[in-house]
Amino acid sequence: EIPALLNVSLALLSSHRRSEGKMAETEPTVAPAADAEEEGGEDVEAEAQVDFKPLIELPPEIDHKSGEEDEDVIFKMRTKLFRFNEPTKEWKERGTGDVRFLKHKESSKVRVLMRAEKTLRVRANHPVTEQLDLKPHAGSDRAFTYFTPDWSEDPETGKVEQSNELFAFRFANAENAAKFKDAFEKVKKGDFTGLDVLKQDEEDAAKAAASAAEKEEKKAE
């Protein structure tokens, strides 16, 4: 009986091995995962090539003119400007900035131009003539006034039109005020020599740089 059972077991084992061999031959081949990822990556990259266009087209750059292109700055001094309001009999502040004397390159005519330092709006704009009478303001040694026809922006409407103005220029100290008076009187007579106040900006910048360097040295100590 035992040999008969062994024969049956061997037959079953042989049949099972033959079945596994047939299944291995018929099982479909699966592509490597890496190849599938590469193919998928190529598809994603191809889809990502999209041409985006701006929603708003920017206008071409505009060359703004200041109206000062044909003039040279022959004098500049930082100041605070006031104008006298006739109806209210009060001095009104017009702004702080550089009062400049601009000399035309061809005609040599000179005008006074002052712009507010933040808005750059024109606060004083008139020619320098012999009729301008510069006087100390209220006895101060750092402020001067004069009366002149002016072509700057109206403080209320913003329009540029001629108006007769009584201006007052107030400077940081008596020294700067004296330099302004000297330059003003020279330009009135057509004398453009000795107007070296433009160097003031360079000197102030050098002093500021030296002061900053000194502070840094103290911090390092």
Side-chain angles (χ1 to χ4, degrees):
E1 292 180 358
I2 293 175
L5 291 173
L6 290 174
N7 291 334
V8 172
S9 298
L10 291 173
L12 291 174
L13 180 60
S14 177
S15 175
H16 179 68
R17 288 179 175 175
R18 285 196 299 271
S19 298
E20 286 182 348
K22 291 181 179 180
M23 289 178 65
E25 293 176 358
T26 57
E27 186 175 356
T29 303
V30 179
D35 294 342
E37 289 179 359
E38 290 179 0
E39 292 178 0
E42 292 177 357
D43 293 339
V44 172
E45 184 178 354
E47 293 176 0
Q49 295 178 356
V50 181
D51 184 17
F52 292 99
K53 294 183 178 180
L55 297 177
I56 301 176
E57 294 290 341
L58 296 177
E61 185 177 353
I62 300 174
D63 184 16
H64 294 281
K65 300 290 185 179
S66 66
E68 306 170 25
E69 289 75 18
D70 296 327
E71 298 168 302
D72 293 322
V73 180
I74 59 175
F75 178 87
K76 179 171 66 175
M77 180 71 70
R78 183 175 174 81
T79 186
K80 181 175 286 188
L81 175 65
F82 299 83
R83 63 180 289 272
F84 187 73
N85 187 290
E86 186 64 33
T88 62
K89 305 298 181 181
E90 294 177 333
W91 286 98
K92 300 287 187 180
E93 182 178 338
R94 295 217 67 185
T96 300
D98 290 330
V99 57
R100 296 179 294 158
F101 296 166
L102 303 181
K103 180 184 175 185
H104 197 274
K105 295 177 181 178
E106 295 183 1
S107 67
S108 295
K109 291 182 178 180
V110 179
R111 63 170 172 152
V112 173
L113 181 68
M114 180 194 163
R115 296 180 182 271
E117 61 183 356
K118 293 183 179 180
T119 64
L120 298 182
R121 295 180 66 178
V122 177
R123 294 312 189 193
N125 178 31
H126 61 81
V128 177
T129 65
E130 293 184 3
Q131 288 72 34
L132 296 181
D133 187 14
L134 193 67
K135 297 179 179 180
H137 176 57
S140 173
D141 62 352
R142 63 189 189 98
F144 291 97
T145 66
Y146 59 83
F147 183 82
T148 180
D150 184 73
W151 286 265
S152 58
E153 296 181 29
D154 185 275
E156 302 296 334
T157 65
K159 294 181 180 180
V160 178
E161 52 189 8
Q162 181 182 346
S163 61
N164 295 323
E165 299 287 356
L166 179 59
F167 285 140
F169 292 87
R170 189 173 70 192
F171 300 92
N173 50 55
E175 181 182 359
N176 286 357
K179 289 180 179 180
F180 172 79
K181 181 179 184 298
D182 181 63
F184 193 91
E185 296 299 338
K186 281 187 174 182
V187 170
K188 278 175 55 176
K189 300 174 183 178
D191 182 6
F192 307 126
T193 61
L195 302 179
D196 58 351
V197 184
L198 288 177
K199 296 179 182 178
Q200 178 186 351
D201 289 345
E202 298 178 1
E203 293 172 358
D204 290 345
K207 289 179 181 178
S211 177
E214 184 178 353
K215 290 180 180 179
E216 290 296 329
E217 290 179 0
K218 289 182 179 181
K219 289 181 180 180
E221 293 176 357

